[in-house]
Amino acid sequence: QKEVEQNSGPLSVPEGAIASLNCTYSDRGSQSFFWYRQYSGKSPELIMSIYSNGDKEDGRFTAQLNKASQYVSLLIRDSQPSDSATYLCAMLTGFQKLVFGTGTRLLVSP
Amino acid sequence: GAGVSQSPSNKVTEKGKDVELRCDPISGHTALYWYRQSLGQGLEFLIYFQGNSAPDKSGLPSDRFSAERTGGSVSTLTIQRTQQEDSAVYLCASSLLLKRGQPQHFGDGTRLSIL
């Protein structure tokens, strides 16, 4: 069973701080990883994709991938209350099948 | 619209009835996926379409579940003889299929409640 593990949280950070979300995965052969944000009652929204070892930055978001250690992380700089949501980590297995973690709930307090 | 469209947004039905859920992908997206999300659970893969064919049906939980896609566009997920454990949000996603690992974009889902 190929799995993605995330701490369910909640992760609480004050406004303006850096939020660090982590995920580990079991499929050493997986090459593609994604972070989705899901607000309560809404559908997942793609935040970042990462395919290579190292960092990938997009605005306030940075995704980090370490294939040797089999972990993926998402950093959110200058966290805002509007960032409060559940963040889902997903890895690609097979050709196009995504396996999701259960998500980490982030709470950003004003 | 520009995004993935799903209908109905909510469906309440009695145990034992059949239901059909519809997904209209983003225009030009050749790949289409169905997932479901049960309360407190992660998203669970159900089936993947490439064009009108389904190379991966591995996630369908039982033979009561089936899906089809016609014209390389709209897809229908059918659940026969519904059970209470089928209650979940059913999410459809679509993507380009230029290469492996294309990001998948989700619709708003259908919230299915079995009484």
Side-chain angles (χ1 to χ4, degrees):
Chain A
Q1 182 84 8
K2 296 175 180 175
E3 295 181 342
V4 174
E5 299 287 338
Q6 292 182 258
N7 187 318
S8 61
L11 172 66
S12 295
V13 300
E15 183 175 357
I18 296 175
S20 177
L21 305 159
N22 301 305
C23 143
T24 58
Y25 61 93
S26 63
D27 182 9
R28 190 171 282 279
S30 185
Q31 301 291 320
S32 306
F33 301 88
F34 306 87
W35 283 99
Y36 285 84
R37 178 175 63 196
Q38 187 173 28
Y39 292 112
S40 181
K42 301 295 185 183
S43 63
E45 173 192 8
L46 181 69
I47 298 295
M48 294 281 287
S49 58
I50 186 164
Y51 307 98
S52 304
N53 272 330
D55 295 0
K56 178 182 178 183
E57 187 174 321
D58 183 1
R60 295 187 297 113
F61 299 98
T62 299
Q64 299 173 318
L65 173 60
N66 184 321
K67 291 184 180 179
S69 301
Q70 293 177 245
Y71 82 76
V72 191
S73 63
L74 179 70
L75 300 179
I76 307 175
R77 289 180 298 281
D78 188 25
S79 295
Q80 301 297 308
S82 58
D83 295 326
S84 298
T86 296
Y87 288 80
L88 304 171
C89 174
M91 71 174 180
L92 190 73
T93 65
F95 187 77
Q96 281 291 106
K97 173 181 174 180
L98 284 179
V99 175
F100 284 86
T102 53
T104 298
R105 187 171 166 224
L106 173 67
L107 297 175
V108 181
S109 54
Chain B
V4 176
S5 178
Q6 292 187 247
S7 61
S9 55
N10 285 284
K11 177 72 175 179
V12 180
T13 193
E14 293 179 346
K15 176 183 172 182
K17 300 286 189 183
D18 297 351
V19 295
E20 283 190 354
L21 311 179
R22 176 188 165 104
C23 173
D24 197 345
I26 293 171
S27 178
H29 280 193
T30 52
L32 185 148
Y33 316 81
W34 285 98
Y35 294 83
R36 74 175 176 182
Q37 189 171 32
S38 304
L39 191 62
Q41 302 293 314
L43 274 83
E44 174 189 11
F45 170 83
L46 298 178
I47 188 170
Y48 150 57
F49 285 93
Q50 180 177 328
N52 290 336
S53 64
D56 192 345
K57 305 179 183 179
S58 63
L60 294 178
S62 75
D63 59 7
R64 296 186 295 104
F65 288 72
S66 63
E68 65 175 13
R69 189 180 185 194
T70 56
S73 182
V74 172
S75 175
T76 302
L77 177 69
T78 301
I79 309 173
Q80 296 178 309
R81 304 181 303 282
T82 52
Q83 303 294 312
Q84 287 186 332
E85 61 263 26
D86 300 333
S87 296
V89 177
Y90 288 81
L91 290 158
C92 177
S94 70
S95 75
L96 295 169
L97 204 59
L98 302 175
K99 59 181 179 179
R100 191 169 180 264
Q102 291 289 309
Q104 299 177 21
H105 299 273
F106 285 83
D108 288 336
T110 293
R111 184 175 299 276
L112 177 63
S113 300
I114 310 299
L115 303 179

